[in-house]
Amino acid sequence: MNIVLKTIALVLLTGLLPAIAQNDTKEQLIVPLSDPSKPGSLEVGLVNGFIHVVGYNGKEVVIDAVARSRQNNRTDERTNSEGMRRISTGNSFDVSAEEKSNRIHVNASGTHKPVDLTIKVPQRFSLKLHTINNGDITVENVTGELEINNVNGAIELTNIGGSAVAQTVNGQLKATFREVNSNTPMAFSTLNGRVDVTFPASVKANIKARSDRGDIFSDFDIDIDKKQPQATRSNESGMYRVSIEDWIYGKINGGGPEVMLKSMQGSIYIRKAK
């Protein structure tokens, strides 16, 4: 069997582009799909930079990449104790996209500066997005399975459909669904920030929610489970330690797949779409 793999790569060396060396470096990739009539998937992983994905009516994936310029160019000219001047290595910028059977993997590397990606995808697209520093992750107008991970930034999902698992460490987490997959569990969590999720009024879900240093709010009529919290035992140094899980369990519209919402330092909001 022959496998066709389409790769689009972009390599920019700002040292060769003096006209824009002092500004943000901007370029665009256009990735055609093997079968535009079928849904696709996108995977993006960054170390530095934001990821913004928006669904549109087109049949291609359009990637706009920006490498941020230095905030202070004077650091390029500083000297050491021997009177020698540091020579800037420029801003090498390497972005590539691989497509196979409507599955696209985007990689951005080769720079210590943040690389920001704004990506347009057909509206029926699943996403797996990850970044660590210097940027938020936002998604708009996409229907599919969403797996979103951030470390030092917020996550915002707007007018989405399908299902989502979203997690960040330092940042707010907000999601607004126009429709949900009735058979798929979902999870939303952050360590430092609030969790704010809006569902359609007709959603059916089993809610599992916990906020260590915040409150839980909802305008749904949630049927709260009045049973005693579950206790777990662990054996440590010959002694048993009993801890109580401070979770709230409840059902929306009779119950359905589990939806977990958790924040350590922030409140949780479970909203009903107007």
Side-chain angles (χ1 to χ4, degrees):
M1 177 183 298
N2 293 326
I3 298 177
V4 178
L5 178 66
K6 290 182 290 187
T7 303
I8 299 177
L10 173 68
V11 180
L12 296 179
L13 299 177
T14 55
L16 301 178
L17 299 173
I20 59 174
Q22 303 302 320
N23 301 315
D24 292 348
T25 305
K26 305 177 182 180
E27 282 297 338
Q28 184 179 86
L29 304 178
I30 298 178
V31 184
L33 299 176
S34 297
D35 188 349
S37 66
K38 295 181 179 180
S41 65
L42 173 72
E43 181 175 351
V44 181
L46 291 180
V47 175
N48 290 295
F50 73 69
I51 304 172
H52 178 197
V53 178
V54 58
Y56 79 123
N57 292 324
K59 297 181 179 181
E60 300 171 320
V61 173
V62 181
I63 305 166
D64 288 307
V66 176
R68 300 182 203 170
S69 60
R70 290 186 182 272
Q71 298 298 316
N72 187 348
N73 290 326
R74 288 178 298 177
T75 58
D76 289 339
E77 299 179 358
R78 61 189 176 190
T79 59
N80 65 10
S81 58
E82 298 178 358
M84 299 181 70
R85 178 171 297 177
R86 183 171 68 86
I87 300 174
S88 174
T89 58
N91 178 26
S92 76
F93 176 23
D94 183 357
V95 175
S96 65
E98 295 183 351
E99 190 275 348
K100 182 176 71 173
S101 301
N102 282 17
R103 294 190 296 271
I104 296 175
H105 181 269
V106 177
N107 182 62
S109 62
T111 178
H112 297 293
K113 303 174 186 178
V115 175
D116 298 328
L117 299 178
T118 301
I119 305 173
K120 293 195 297 184
V121 300
Q123 293 182 353
R124 293 191 303 160
F125 237 72
S126 293
L127 306 175
K128 186 175 182 180
L129 310 176
H130 172 78
T131 191
I132 297 176
N133 294 313
N134 295 306
D136 300 336
I137 298 178
T138 61
V139 177
E140 303 174 47
N141 304 325
V142 174
T143 297
E145 297 179 1
L146 310 184
E147 182 179 337
I148 315 295
N149 287 279
N150 203 346
V151 177
N152 294 307
I155 295 174
E156 184 167 1
L157 314 175
T158 305
N159 194 32
I160 60 173
S163 64
V165 174
Q167 177 179 352
T168 186
V169 177
N170 297 306
Q172 311 289 340
L173 197 163
K174 184 176 182 180
T176 303
F177 287 84
R178 64 171 181 269
E179 58 180 334
V180 298
N181 187 328
S182 60
N183 300 315
T184 305
M186 293 189 280
F188 307 88
S189 65
T190 182
L191 190 65
N192 297 303
R194 76 177 189 177
V195 176
D196 191 328
V197 183
T198 300
F199 294 111
S202 60
V203 70
K204 296 178 179 293
N206 288 350
I207 297 296
K208 177 182 177 181
R210 175 175 177 172
S211 177
D212 292 339
R213 297 182 180 179
D215 296 309
I216 300 174
F217 302 92
S218 178
D219 50 9
F220 279 100
D221 185 10
I222 300 180
D223 182 13
I224 300 296
D225 186 351
K226 301 297 195 299
K227 296 179 181 179
Q228 293 294 322
Q230 297 181 356
T232 59
R233 295 176 179 268
S234 61
N235 191 341
E236 183 178 345
S237 301
M239 301 180 66
Y240 283 98
R241 177 184 177 186
V242 179
S243 60
I244 302 297
E245 290 189 358
D246 192 17
W247 290 89
I248 291 177
Y249 297 86
K251 298 180 184 294
I252 296 178
N253 293 326
E258 181 179 275
V259 176
M260 187 274 286
L261 307 101
K262 182 180 179 181
S263 176
M264 178 172 286
Q265 302 195 57
S267 293
I268 294 173
Y269 299 81
I270 308 169
R271 302 181 190 270
K272 182 193 299 184
K274 303 300 183 182

